[in-house]
């Protein structure tokens, strides 16, 4: 059964097509002028790339197209001027919405393509302590968003796989990258990036309408019975979202699991910046730690990793924070709720080989830290 016909996926698609997403504000500021943007892989032509690069492209070879939430079109480019004074790359990844059928099923998806463009145009240039894929051009219009970036595989990079656990040293290096992002945007306010509207919470809560259908379905990971209570988990999520501590507000990657990483000589870097939003830094930290480590390694070393993250924040100029601070500890524990998305993820959206280990890691972390009980015990927001 395909994603287009599976009732679980259809329900999820309908669930996230919500008014707040439909009205996502697109920043009208100084983005690059977007010529007519390609909508199919074959629309990525020498003429189009010549316009966005402002440099004559002689020919393009379409190597392959990799489908996904956003499609990636890989091309090899030959330039008219062999001297290539701007040192433009010859192997590129053109990322955007190149699957019209998918976009027709979930038209809101265009907004996250646009959001990634705005990240590369308005945020990435300021992240001087963070390693990022090189973006050569990014722009969007009302129906498309495209980022032209380096082909990382052609540069010899490997990519994170959610089915595989990482070593503790690699996770320590990963939280250093998150600290670089968070420290640069610490105490960020919505007015700093008016285009960065907050829709994450409502999207997850609406997806919870399909929670029972998925977690109680056949051949699912064996999670704790109390975590299969849709009503209780939904209530806890709502309370958690209302209780995020403003002490830790910053710009988030938003989807910081290992599947959204690439590795340079084994050192992790983050990619896929479509889910950025403003929230608690520990959303990224807990989500990443819960995804990356085996259950045993997380239990043994998670507080060492949290402390390393906090000391890296401090090195980048954030006020000293300590895991012994109850607010810090509670925010870290509560933020494992970010893993609910994997617990309720249908196999048509992520393959079973990835869903199984990820759901088990997050469910165990939620149970180890008694997260539902913790959130329920906290005072309601005023």
């Amino acid at each position: 059964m395909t994603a287009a016909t599976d009732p679980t996926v259809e329900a999820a698609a309908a669930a996230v097509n919500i008014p707040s997403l439909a009205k996502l504000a697109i920043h009208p500021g100084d983005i690059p002028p977007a010529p007519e943007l390609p909508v199919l892989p074959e629309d990525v032509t020498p003429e189009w790339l010549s316009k966005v690069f402002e440099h004559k492209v002689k020919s393009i070879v379409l190597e392959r197209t990799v489908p996904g939430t956003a499609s990636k079109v890989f091309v090899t480019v030959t330039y008219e001027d062999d001297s290539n004074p701007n040192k433009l790359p010859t192997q590129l990844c053109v990322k955007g919405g190149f699957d019209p059928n998918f976009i027709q099923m979930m038209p809101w998806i265009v907004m996250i393509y646009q959001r990634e463009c705005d990240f590369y145009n308005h945020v990435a240039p300021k992240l001087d302590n963070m390693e990022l894929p090189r973006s050569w051009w990014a722009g969007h219009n009302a129906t498309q968003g495209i980022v032209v970036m380096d082909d990382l595989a052609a540069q010899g990079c490997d990519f994170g796989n959610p089915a595989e656990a990482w070593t503790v040293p690699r996770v320590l290096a990963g939280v250093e990258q998150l600290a670089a992002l968070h420290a640069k945007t610490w105490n960020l306010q919505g007015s700093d990036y008016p285009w960065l509207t907050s829709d994450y919470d409502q999207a997850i809560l609406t997806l919870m309408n399909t929670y029972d259908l998925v977690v109680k379905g056949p051949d699912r990971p064996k999670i704790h019975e109390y975590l299969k209570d849709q009503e209780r988990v939904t209530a806890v999520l709502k309370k958690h979202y209302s209780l995020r501590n403003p002490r830790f507000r910053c710009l988030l990657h938003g989807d910081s699991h290992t599947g959204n990483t690439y590795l340079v000589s084994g050192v992790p870097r983050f990619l896929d910046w479509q889910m950025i939003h403003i929230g608690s830094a520990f959303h990224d930290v807990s989500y990443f730690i819960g995804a990356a480590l085996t259950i045993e390694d997380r239990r043994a070393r998670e507080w060492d990793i949290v402390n390393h993250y906090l000391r890296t924040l401090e090195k980048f100029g954030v006020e000293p924070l300590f895991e012994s601070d109850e607010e810090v500890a509670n925010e870290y524990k509560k933020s494992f709720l970010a893993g609910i998305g994997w617990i309720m993820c249908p196999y048509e959206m992520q393959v079973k080989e990835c869903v199984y280990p990820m759901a088990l890691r997050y469910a165990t972390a939620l149970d180890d830290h008694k997260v539902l009980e913790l959130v329920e015990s906290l005072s309601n927001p005023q």
Side-chain angles (χ1 to χ4, degrees), residues 277-331:
H277 61 281
I278 298 170
S280 167
F282 289 98
H283 171 100
D284 278 351
V285 176
S286 302
Y287 191 39
F288 175 62
I289 290 174
L293 293 173
T294 65
I295 292 169
E296 295 74 21
D297 282 347
R298 178 190 53 75
R299 286 170 170 168
R301 297 294 305 278
E302 63 185 320
W303 291 109
D304 295 333
I305 297 168
V306 171
N307 182 63
H308 185 70
Y309 165 76
L310 297 175
R311 301 289 66 78
T312 309
L313 276 182
E314 185 178 352
K315 182 180 76 172
F316 291 143
V318 174
E319 63 179 301
L321 298 169
F322 301 95
E323 67 272 22
S324 58
D325 181 333
E326 185 179 34
E327 289 188 353
V328 170
N330 282 349
E331 197 74 10

Side-chain angles (χ1 to χ4, degrees), residues 16-26 103 106-118 140-145 195-197 199 273-276:
V16 293
N17 193 11
I18 54 179
S20 61
L21 281 171
K23 297 177 181 177
L24 179 65
I26 302 303
I103 294 172
M106 293 190 287
W108 60 268
I109 205 75
V110 171
M111 301 165 195
I112 70 172
Y113 308 152
Q114 297 163 333
R115 181 161 291 196
E116 186 165 36
C117 292
D118 284 335
H140 58 71
N141 57 25
T143 58
Q144 177 64 293
W195 51 272
L196 195 57
T197 58
D199 301 287
W273 294 87
Q274 300 170 337
M275 299 300 292
I276 59 172

Side-chain angles (χ1 to χ4, degrees), residues 242-259:
S242 68
L243 289 174
R244 288 196 190 97
N245 196 318
R247 287 177 62 193
F248 315 121
R249 183 186 293 118
C250 62
L251 181 69
L252 307 179
H253 178 281
D255 199 19
S256 55
H257 64 78
T258 48

Side-chain angles (χ1 to χ4, degrees), residues 78-249:
T78 301
Y79 298 96
E80 193 73 42
D81 181 358
D82 290 336
S83 66
N84 193 1
N86 296 324
K87 297 183 178 179
L88 295 167
T90 58
Q91 292 176 294
L92 291 167
C93 171
V94 184
K95 181 180 180 182
F98 294 106
D99 184 345
N101 291 330
F102 182 58
I103 294 172
Q104 184 176 12
M105 184 175 72
M106 293 190 287
W108 60 268
I109 205 75
V110 171
M111 301 165 195
I112 70 172
Y113 308 152
Q114 297 163 333
R115 181 161 291 196
E116 186 165 36
C117 292
D118 284 335
F119 168 80
Y120 278 107
N121 286 325
H122 300 293
V123 181
K126 302 175 183 179
L127 300 179
D128 46 5
N129 291 313
M130 192 175 197
E131 301 292 335
L132 294 165
R134 175 70 182 268
S135 167
W136 294 92
W137 185 88
H140 58 71
N141 57 25
T143 58
Q144 177 64 293
I146 288 177
V147 180
V148 182
M149 61 178 61
D150 284 338
D151 179 350
L152 296 172
Q155 296 180 350
C157 298
D158 296 316
F159 297 89
N161 180 351
E164 300 172 358
W166 284 6
T167 64
V168 170
R170 181 175 286 178
V171 176
L172 289 168
V175 297
E176 289 174 358
Q177 289 291 294
L178 292 176
L181 166 68
H182 298 161
K184 197 69 177 183
T185 60
W186 204 253
N187 292 324
L188 182 71
Q189 303 298 315
S191 57
D192 296 326
Y193 291 110
W195 51 272
L196 195 57
T197 58
S198 178
D199 301 287
Y200 176 87
D201 298 358
Q202 187 56 53
I204 295 298
L205 290 173
T206 309
L207 281 170
M208 284 297 298
N209 293 329
T210 64
Y211 189 80
D212 268 345
L213 185 63
V214 175
V215 301
K216 296 179 181 178
D219 195 23
R220 293 298 298 180
K222 296 188 186 321
I223 64 173
H224 308 79
E225 281 300 316
Y226 74 90
L227 288 176
K228 297 180 182 179
D229 185 336
Q230 176 174 312
E231 183 177 353
R232 185 182 181 193
V233 174
T234 301
V236 166
L237 281 172
K238 289 179 178 179
K239 189 171 181 181
H240 165 58
Y241 293 154
S242 68
L243 289 174
R244 288 196 190 97
N245 196 318
R247 287 177 62 193
F248 315 121
R249 183 186 293 118

